[in-house]
Amino acid sequence: MPARAELFERCLFSTQAKALIYCFFAEREVAKIPGIGNDTALLPVRRAAVVGAGTMGGGIAMNYANAGIPVLLKDATQDALDAGVEKIRRNYESSVKKGRFPQEVMDQRMALFQPTLTWTASKKPTSWWSGV
């Protein structure tokens, strides 16, 4: 038992432990924005636009869709846009197969995407963009 206590004490006061403790408190501190209190009103996110349908852009777009937020998904080429939308579809199909949610949820989420190659879809008042 004394050996365990000695090892524990060495770990407790190690450089790594000090760094982890610092990170723990730093994460909590950066969440506090000076001048913005808990009583500050939040603005709703009614629609979003994501540039790039690759791995990162597709993941960000899926997070918006998962929250029920319509997403304009823009990419530079039709091939990249098609590949991104297909990857999103496959990710949702995988979730349906695993039983995480039904096909209807997938269909609802996929309907929230508006793939585009231009920004005109975000500028023109369309029922998708302005009615949300």
Side-chain angles (χ1 to χ4, degrees), residues 2-131:
R4 285 185 184 169
E6 180 189 336
L7 288 173
F8 175 77
E9 192 169 320
R10 279 195 352 217
C11 288
L12 183 62
F13 298 108
S14 70
T15 304
Q16 291 88 350
K18 289 176 186 176
L20 288 170
I21 292 168
Y22 175 83
C23 286
F24 175 84
F25 287 107
E27 283 179 345
R28 277 135 190 87
E29 193 61 32
V30 298
K32 301 173 189 172
I33 301 171
I36 298 180
N38 291 339
D39 58 341
T40 302
L42 301 176
L43 297 175
V45 177
R46 291 187 294 259
R47 58 188 173 267
V50 177
V51 179
T55 301
M56 186 183 300
I60 293 167
M62 286 180 71
N63 278 305
Y64 282 118
N66 293 348
I69 299 169
V71 184
L72 182 74
L73 184 60
K74 184 193 180 306
D75 213 314
T77 67
Q78 190 65 52
D79 287 344
L81 189 59
D82 292 344
V85 172
E86 184 56 31
K87 176 71 173 171
I88 290 169
R89 182 178 309 286
R90 284 195 314 267
N91 286 339
Y92 281 139
E93 285 173 348
S94 175
S95 293
V96 169
K97 287 179 186 173
K98 292 176 184 176
R100 292 188 179 143
F101 48 77
Q103 179 68 40
E104 295 77 29
V105 171
M106 176 188 155
D107 295 340
Q108 290 168 350
R109 290 179 182 177
M110 287 302 299
L112 292 171
F113 292 98
Q114 182 184 5
T116 186
L117 296 175
T118 66
W119 284 115
T120 55
S122 66
K123 293 178 184 171
K124 290 183 182 177
T126 64
S127 61
W128 179 88
W129 192 250
S130 62

